[in-house]
Amino acid sequence: QNPDYHGFSSDAEADVLNMRAAFLAGVSITIVLGSVFVHYLPDYGLQQWARREAEIQVRERERRGLPLLTSDYYDPKRLPLPPLE
């Protein structure tokens, strides 16, 4: 009997060869598929989207000649305010 039996074959040399091939294939597939998975993960926290959106807003405000930042979040002319008492 083979004392180092790995469960692939009753022949000792074939068993070791098949075990090493299965290990190499498993590790290679894990590295490749893991890398692909990590590369295509969604943008959690929307950091990339926020950066692109900010650059678009800056370009648009520069094109219109507006300041980049204002103290008003909404246009005060378009807000319905309660009457002054």
Side-chain angles (χ1 to χ4, degrees):
Q1 291 283 356
N2 182 8
D4 295 329
Y5 180 67
H6 301 289
F8 292 98
S9 177
S10 59
D11 180 28
E13 291 181 20
D15 187 49
V16 170
L17 181 65
N18 290 335
M19 182 268 303
R20 289 179 181 163
F23 181 77
L24 178 65
V27 168
S28 300
I29 289 171
T30 301
I31 289 173
V32 170
L33 292 180
S35 299
V36 169
F37 178 76
V38 169
H39 179 73
Y40 286 105
L41 278 175
D43 182 20
Y44 289 115
L46 299 175
Q47 293 175 353
Q48 294 173 356
W49 175 85
R51 174 68 185 226
R52 288 191 309 265
E53 186 67 22
E55 290 172 356
I56 290 169
Q57 293 293 328
V58 165
R59 274 187 256 129
E60 182 65 24
R61 292 183 77 81
E62 285 176 346
R63 186 181 67 79
R64 291 182 179 179
L66 299 172
L68 296 181
L69 296 175
T70 60
S71 61
D72 297 323
Y73 186 76
Y74 294 105
D75 185 10
K77 297 175 192 166
R78 299 181 67 193
L79 288 176
L81 297 175
L84 294 174
E85 294 182 14

